Amino acid sequence: MRYFGNNILPGGTLILSSANSVGLVGNMAVDMVLQSLNCATIGVLESKYLVPLSGINKSGNGLNSALEVYTVSNVDSNYTFLLHRTPTIPRKAHLFCTELRDWIIKQKFSRVIVLSSAVLEGDKELLDKRTRVLKVSAASSLSPYVSSDFLEHADVPTGSGVLRLLKELDWEGIDVVSLIIYAGTNDYITSAKRLADQVSNTFFNGLPVIVPVELMKVFGNGGYTKELFG
């Protein structure tokens, strides 16, 4: 994995999504938080294990790539964000996770928050809308998640993408947890908004979360949603 951009990253906390999780909920949640915090791109990561992407960004003055690095604009922040725009190449997810872990260790992040989704399987998950918290590394600390809004999850749920692979890795003392939300087929944007709200309430003093217009144009349309997710 090669990094192109600002070589002086703030360290501290990295927030990213679990690649390949159901409905792209984690990806959308990260995107919503980025919009709300007025974050700016500071670099890109290149991985041969992700489906490649290159296209003009929404402002028309740059390119989007498969894996982009952001931080909060004009603020001394200990938060860095990683936005996945494409899934992993089939049968290469474990290699992607390993090189991602190696990059995170190299950048000296002390805490990693992985935003993920899971398949809504029954009434229990439908009725209990609390965000699940999963320990991903041996050094995981659940102290920020002790409120009634969170429920500790013992196992990696179905549909959470590469989360199981991340949990199997040795994180060398880094505090890694996953915030997971159960999402139904017609509920992906709402679920992403709930997850983004939870991140905002926990780490950013409840800053109002903005839903990007481009997400509403695509994922908010029933026809597109049916074609994309079945």
Side-chain angles (χ1 to χ4, degrees):
M1 179 173 284
R2 295 193 296 170
Y3 174 65
F4 302 90
N6 186 346
N7 289 323
I8 307 175
L9 295 178
T13 298
L14 175 68
I15 299 178
L16 69 157
S17 61
S18 176
N20 308 347
S21 64
V22 63
L24 306 177
V25 170
N27 303 56
M28 290 191 287
V30 172
D31 205 359
M32 292 177 189
V33 174
L34 292 176
Q35 295 276 347
S36 306
L37 292 173
N38 189 31
C39 292
T41 312
I42 58 172
V44 298
L45 282 166
E46 183 182 87
S47 172
K48 61 184 178 181
Y49 306 123
L50 285 179
V51 174
L53 169 72
S54 180
I56 298 175
N57 63 20
K58 63 181 180 180
S59 64
N61 59 2
L63 294 176
N64 284 139
S65 61
L67 197 57
E68 298 174 347
V69 184
Y70 290 79
T71 192
V72 183
S73 301
N74 304 318
V75 175
D76 289 332
S77 173
N78 284 325
Y79 290 90
T80 301
F81 301 85
L82 202 55
L83 180 61
H84 293 261
R85 294 189 183 276
T86 64
T88 59
I89 292 172
R91 296 180 294 280
K92 300 297 183 182
H94 65 293
L95 295 173
F96 169 74
C97 290
T98 300
E99 69 172 7
L100 176 62
R101 185 274 314 268
D102 292 345
W103 179 78
I104 289 171
I105 292 173
K106 181 179 179 181
Q107 297 299 328
K108 302 185 184 305
F109 289 106
S110 59
R111 180 171 63 172
V112 178
I113 312 297
V114 184
L115 306 186
S116 187
S117 49
V119 174
L120 189 61
E121 296 180 324
D123 292 341
K124 180 180 178 181
E125 292 83 10
L126 181 64
L127 295 173
D128 189 343
K129 295 184 179 295
R130 285 179 292 178
T131 301
R132 272 53 172 189
V133 184
L134 176 73
K135 293 183 177 181
V136 178
S137 69
S140 298
S141 170
L142 299 186
S143 57
Y145 321 104
V146 295
S147 76
S148 59
D149 295 330
F150 294 98
L151 177 66
E152 185 176 353
H153 211 302
D155 303 310
V156 178
T158 303
S160 55
V162 300
L163 196 54
R164 185 176 301 280
L165 296 173
L166 293 174
K167 197 174 188 304
E168 293 172 352
L169 294 174
D170 177 4
W171 286 92
E172 298 186 10
I174 298 176
D175 174 0
V176 187
V177 302
S178 180
L179 304 185
I180 306 165
I181 199 159
Y182 282 90
T185 305
N186 297 316
D187 194 35
Y188 293 141
I189 284 188
T190 304
S191 298
K193 174 66 163 53
R194 284 169 46 211
L195 187 54
D197 283 337
Q198 196 66 269
V199 172
S200 176
N201 292 336
T202 306
F203 302 107
F204 303 108
N205 299 315
L207 185 75
V209 170
I210 298 171
V211 179
V213 174
E214 57 267 28
L215 290 183
M216 296 302 299
K217 285 182 177 180
V218 178
F219 297 100
N221 181 292
Y224 279 108
T225 303
K226 185 175 181 180
E227 290 298 321
L228 285 169
F229 304 117

